[in-house]
Amino acid sequence: MKFKPLLILSIAMLATACSHGFYYRPDPFTTGQNNIIINNGVAYAISQKGETSVILTAIKPVDGELELRIGYVNNNANRVDAIPEQIQVYTLNGKKLKSYAVYSADQYINKLQRKQNFAMAVQAFSDGYNNTAAGYSTSRTNAAVVSSNGSYAVGSSSTTTYDASKVSEADYRSRQELEHVATNFAQQNQNISQQLIRSNTLLKGQSIEGYVIVNTSKSFKEKIYVDVPIGNDKHEFMLIPNL
């Protein structure tokens, strides 16, 4: 059974979109050379079991969570289900296993939106405070007073005024900026959502590709074990950081 070159190319094009951080590569001690494909300098592991195949690599962006770039192929006469949320990712420290949750596409998009909404709320609060302050201006006047005996003193006075039009102008600019940010966030989320894999039933000859996000810390750089179920098959991978 041959893996589809078009699927490999598609996955590779997704992977090369991340220019920061580092890629993972298949563990050479557990992955046969015939099951490794190099495309544009990135190594992908291929697993073929029964009539299904999976191609996999991983990426760790500098300030993001672990990403699995993955493709599923079904060459079985029967339909099979590919459910990304059932992927298992774990590390091994001595004899102790640690599992990492895989987000569903909707879970990850919702998480992004919560972070974005919080950031915009903080910005709106900060803008409101600054915009109100922009309406106030203070002028100071210095004066010298000479007494009848020839002595003098220097004093000053200040006057604070409030201009509501300046506050309105600042509020308008802030709303425009927040609307621009919200539009950018929405476009970003739409682009990400289109690349995330969702659960699919694959008929014979069908394939899907994209990526899933793993709940890890920003500093994560561990060797990982990945189990990818599809239908009745389970494809097992071991990937190491390409640092």
Side-chain angles (χ1 to χ4, degrees):
M1 175 172 51
K2 296 182 179 180
F3 207 87
K4 297 185 177 181
L6 181 61
L7 180 63
I8 295 171
L9 176 61
S10 179
I11 293 293
M13 291 175 65
L14 283 171
T16 55
C18 177
S19 57
H20 303 289
F22 60 88
Y23 287 93
Y24 276 72
R25 58 188 174 89
D27 183 356
F29 297 105
T30 59
T31 307
Q33 197 60 40
N34 291 335
N35 294 324
I36 299 176
I37 291 180
I38 308 295
N39 190 293
N40 199 28
V42 180
Y44 299 82
I46 293 178
S47 173
Q48 301 181 109
K49 290 189 175 182
E51 295 296 322
T52 64
S53 302
V54 171
I55 180 172
L56 179 75
T57 191
I59 301 167
K60 178 59 180 63
V62 170
D63 292 320
E65 297 173 282
L66 183 70
E67 301 176 7
L68 300 180
R69 308 288 184 169
I70 186 171
Y72 296 87
V73 174
N74 177 32
N75 288 318
N76 199 311
N78 301 318
R79 48 188 276 169
V80 297
D81 292 328
I83 305 174
E85 302 93 285
Q86 293 181 350
I87 295 174
Q88 294 181 314
V89 179
Y90 52 96
T91 57
L92 181 60
N93 184 3
K95 295 183 178 180
K96 185 176 181 180
L97 288 175
K98 181 176 180 180
S99 297
Y100 296 85
V102 172
Y103 297 105
S104 70
D106 291 338
Q107 284 175 333
Y108 186 66
I109 293 299
N110 289 338
K111 179 182 179 180
L112 280 183
Q113 290 175 337
R114 287 193 299 270
K115 292 175 64 175
Q116 293 161 356
N117 290 340
F118 178 76
M120 292 179 64
V122 171
Q123 185 62 49
F125 178 82
S126 176
D127 287 347
Y129 177 83
N130 293 331
N131 294 346
T132 299
Y136 291 93
S137 60
T138 301
S139 60
R140 184 176 298 276
T141 303
N142 296 321
V145 178
V146 181
S147 65
S148 58
N149 62 6
S151 64
Y152 70 94
V154 177
S156 64
S157 63
S158 62
T159 303
T160 299
T161 59
Y162 178 77
D163 188 343
S165 64
K166 291 184 178 180
V167 177
S168 296
E169 291 174 3
D171 283 340
Y172 176 76
R173 289 194 298 270
S174 295
R175 287 195 300 271
Q176 293 292 99
E177 291 172 359
L178 283 175
E179 288 175 4
H180 180 68
V181 170
T183 299
N184 286 342
F185 278 156
Q187 183 63 53
Q188 177 190 43
N189 293 346
Q190 182 180 4
N191 292 339
I192 292 174
S193 181
Q194 290 173 351
Q195 297 182 74
L196 292 172
I197 297 182
R198 289 170 168 78
S199 298
N200 282 271
T201 296
L202 303 181
L203 303 179
K204 182 178 181 179
Q206 289 187 327
S207 63
I208 57 171
E209 68 277 345
Y211 67 88
V212 299
I213 311 298
V214 184
N215 185 3
T216 60
S217 67
K218 293 182 179 181
S219 60
F220 186 87
K221 55 177 67 174
E222 309 299 324
K223 178 179 181 179
I224 58 173
Y225 300 81
V226 185
D227 294 341
V228 183
I230 173 174
N232 294 322
D233 298 329
K234 183 172 74 171
H235 299 264
E236 299 173 330
F237 299 88
M238 187 182 302
L239 303 175
I240 57 179
N242 193 22
L243 298 172

